[in-house]
Amino acid sequence: MSFENLKSLLLYNKEGLILFNSAFFLYFFTAFLFCYQLARKNERARVWVFTLFSLYFFYKACNEYVLLVILSAIVDFYISNRIHTEQKDLVRKRLLWFSVVINVGMLCYFKYTNFFIQIINDVTAGNISPVNLILPIGISFYTFENLSYTVDVYRREIKPVDRFMDYLFFLSFFPKLMMGPIVRAADFIPQIRQPYVLDRKDVGKGMFLIISGLFKKVVLSDFINQNFVQYIFDDPGRYTGLECLFGVYAYALVIYCDFSGYSDMAIGIARWVGFKLPPNFNKPYQSSSITEFWRRWHISLSSWLKDYIYILLGGNRKGTVRQYINLFLTMLIGGFWHGASWNFIFWGGVHGGALGVDKVWIQWQKARSWMRSTPLRAGLWKAGGVLFTFHLVCFCWIFFRMEHFSGAWTMLHQVAFEFQGHLLPQLLNAYPQVFTLMAIGYLLHFLPNVAEKKLEEGLEMMPVWASVAIMVMFIWFLNEVKTLEPMIPIYLQF
């Protein structure tokens, strides 16, 4: 390899993001593990090695914006320590609000400036030019982690760390960079002090999570998205309602496998280096209510919204009506957090409204015990709840995926008025690989937990060399999957 090629490989390249399923990450992670093993017996050395590799990971992902991570760590480290030592409540509150303004202001500047400019232009018929800003990767996640840390210190629920490198390590921890999970300092920082011990169970558990995450992300999510979903959502008016409906079902699987696959890999990698992160997804499409869905979907985000937005607004402490308003506002904020678009706000608003309706439904059910008086009735109500919740979530995914409302309405129109269900055999024949993978994905998702547990236990009992052999074979399998020729979109014009 020439010097220029090596330089291109090691320096930031906006066309070559460092993803878990990229070739460069394999080299990066190998080098990291080698250095981390050399430093495994010294706590300070482990922190420095991990932090430096994490900052390099940030640099490869977003170039000079790595400085934002360092800057936000400096600000919140010193503010939180000042809040902890300060005795005057007014001063503590002002320091907290200063932290909130800095963190939220930084997030809003990079993520929402052009959105607000568009609103101003629409309202005033102005012509303000959009600002040429690049959204720093991971800023939504480490901003929420900063806020939760400072708020927890303010509430005196945790003590701030006294070493800056520990906090920078927590904030920059590279496995959770791009898609989370959102980690709480109270869960993470105490593990820094613990000695690094990697046993067979950790290797097996990490292996299971990494393999399952890669399978979800590369085999299921990426392939189905590239070969089916993007065609349907890019121009739904060209497709029948049947194709649009299956496109929505496919996207529901794609977004789940994308988010949960990345989270699984992050948690698995963390397990290999001595850190236990909480699970972030728990088979959300098995939920029989929208409330249960948000207990299973992106758990770290939903719990964050509950603890730092919903409770701050008053939660359920100020009456039923106020509770519903708080739920709605919390989900609006959650939708806006996902992206600077009215579609995301609408998505969050529908979920917020659905959570309020679900509370009413739960109370109505409790007054009618006959609905679940027998196992058969209880099972039927649960099955009906799962079916309804899944389709409500799918309806919301349409607005989440579409860039504009017009596309979402077009897709809904096609499903409602141009369904053409008799074309199902032709549709299945047109995309055999896609629908095979969709069937596998949904089958795995609805498998009982006991089957998944058995597989985990099997990997945990394997010696390390066998686990490595499985990983090598699985990487070979992924390479074979990637060689599949992309399918040409087929529009069924009958």
Side-chain angles (χ1 to χ4, degrees), residues 210-490:
I210 293 171
I211 289 178
S212 64
L214 281 170
F215 182 79
K216 289 179 185 177
K217 174 72 176 110
V218 179
V219 180
L220 296 179
S221 180
D222 288 353
F223 188 82
I224 295 173
N225 184 61
Q226 293 170 10
N227 294 285
F228 186 61
V229 169
Q230 67 179 7
Y231 302 135
I232 304 295
F233 278 84
D234 284 350
D235 191 4
R238 293 183 58 241
Y239 298 89
T240 66
L242 178 68
E243 291 168 291
C244 288
L245 181 62
F246 274 90
V248 175
Y249 291 157
Y251 180 66
L253 183 65
V254 163
I255 192 169
Y256 164 72
C257 289
D258 194 61
F259 275 122
S260 69
Y262 191 97
S263 289
D264 286 349
M265 286 185 278
I267 296 168
I269 291 171
R271 191 70 177 255
W272 274 2
V273 293
F275 290 86
K276 295 180 180 179
L277 305 184
N280 205 26
F281 291 84
N282 182 22
K283 298 185 176 181
Y285 296 140
Q286 293 186 13
S287 306
S288 59
S289 70
I290 198 68
T291 300
E292 184 183 357
F293 173 81
W294 278 103
R295 291 173 183 156
R296 292 170 173 260
W297 176 270
H298 210 325
I299 299 169
S300 63
L301 172 63
S302 56
S303 63
W304 195 99
L305 292 173
K306 175 185 175 182
D307 292 344
Y308 301 102
I309 303 295
Y310 176 69
I311 292 178
L312 181 66
L313 291 172
N316 59 359
R317 302 188 303 274
K318 298 184 178 181
T320 303
V321 174
R322 180 63 182 272
Q323 180 188 10
Y324 298 155
I325 294 174
N326 292 341
L327 283 170
F328 184 74
L329 292 175
T330 299
M331 294 310 300
L332 276 183
I333 294 171
F336 198 39
W337 176 83
H338 279 89
S341 166
W342 288 110
N343 283 44
F344 289 114
I345 296 174
F346 179 82
W347 173 83
V350 173
H351 273 281
L355 285 170
V357 172
D358 193 45
K359 298 295 183 186
V360 177
W361 172 251
I362 290 172
Q363 295 301 319
W364 187 84
Q365 279 185 309
K366 287 180 179 179
R368 289 157 179 81
S369 58
W370 60 267
M371 295 171 60
R372 301 177 184 273
S373 58
T374 66
L376 177 60
R377 285 181 177 177
L380 289 174
W381 276 107
K382 181 174 177 61
V386 171
L387 194 64
F388 175 81
T389 302
F390 175 72
H391 282 87
L392 173 62
V393 170
C394 284
F395 168 79
C396 294
W397 284 142
I398 296 174
F399 295 90
F400 190 94
R401 173 61 172 78
M402 284 295 184
E403 186 175 353
H404 303 290
F405 279 108
S406 58
W409 300 131
T410 299
M411 178 167 283
L412 291 171
H413 175 271
Q414 293 299 99
V415 174
F417 301 105
E418 301 289 343
F419 191 70
Q420 301 187 40
H422 64 281
L423 297 178
L424 179 61
Q426 292 94 321
L427 177 61
L428 297 178
N429 288 329
Y431 300 95
Q433 294 167 318
V434 166
F435 287 110
T436 298
L437 289 176
M438 281 179 61
I440 292 172
Y442 277 113
L443 178 64
L444 292 174
H445 186 79
F446 283 93
L447 273 180
N449 290 331
V450 63
E452 189 173 297
K453 190 67 177 176
K454 289 289 185 182
L455 181 57
E456 281 188 51
E457 291 174 352
L459 286 172
E460 289 172 5
M461 294 301 294
M462 285 185 178
V464 174
W465 66 267
S467 298
V468 172
I470 290 174
M471 177 66 81
V472 171
M473 288 189 294
F474 189 71
I475 292 174
W476 172 84
F477 171 72
L478 290 182
N479 288 331
E480 290 297 309
V481 171
K482 284 187 174 182
T483 62
L484 291 174
E485 291 295 327
M487 292 177 290
I488 299 173
I490 301 174

Side-chain angles (χ1 to χ4, degrees), residues 38-209:
L38 293 178
R40 68 184 185 277
K41 294 183 179 180
N42 186 292
E43 175 197 322
R44 291 293 86 208
R46 291 200 309 269
V47 169
W48 274 93
V49 167
F50 214 127
T51 304
L52 291 176
F53 270 89
S54 293
L55 293 176
Y56 176 71
F57 192 92
F58 265 83
Y59 161 74
K60 281 289 293 181
C62 56
N63 202 13
E64 69 271 11
Y65 289 114
V66 65
L67 297 175
L68 290 178
V69 184
I70 300 173
L71 177 62
S72 60
I74 292 172
V75 170
D76 281 86
F77 173 77
Y78 286 104
I79 288 179
S80 61
N81 276 278
R82 176 69 191 282
I83 289 174
H84 180 68
T85 57
E86 180 61 52
Q87 299 302 316
K88 296 180 180 179
D89 289 339
L90 181 60
V91 176
R92 297 179 74 248
K93 187 172 293 186
R94 286 175 176 174
L95 288 169
L96 174 65
W97 278 108
F98 179 72
S99 172
V100 171
V101 169
I102 291 294
N103 284 284
V104 175
M106 183 172 66
L107 178 63
C108 287
Y109 174 73
F110 285 102
K111 196 168 185 175
Y112 304 112
T113 295
N114 287 333
F115 178 72
F116 292 133
I117 288 175
Q118 180 185 346
I119 293 176
I120 294 171
N121 286 338
D122 291 341
V123 172
T124 64
N127 192 27
I128 304 175
S129 300
V131 181
N132 186 22
L133 291 173
I134 297 175
L135 181 64
I137 290 176
I139 189 171
S140 297
F141 291 97
Y142 64 74
T143 296
F144 270 25
E145 289 171 348
N146 263 329
L147 290 172
S148 64
Y149 174 76
T150 309
V151 171
D152 287 348
V153 171
Y154 174 80
R155 293 173 176 173
R156 301 201 185 280
E157 294 178 358
I158 63 171
K159 292 182 178 181
V161 293
D162 52 7
R163 294 186 295 204
F164 172 72
M165 285 301 296
D166 287 352
Y167 189 68
L168 183 59
F169 174 31
F170 154 69
L171 206 62
S172 64
F173 192 71
F174 74 81
K176 61 178 176 58
L177 166 63
M178 295 182 186
M179 294 186 185
I182 300 171
V183 178
R184 305 284 184 93
D187 299 324
F188 184 88
I189 290 177
Q191 299 184 61
I192 298 176
R193 305 281 194 270
Q194 298 174 1
Y196 174 47
V197 178
L198 187 66
D199 57 25
R200 182 180 295 178
K201 184 175 181 180
D202 291 323
V203 173
K205 179 70 173 180
M207 178 71 66
F208 173 80
L209 289 168

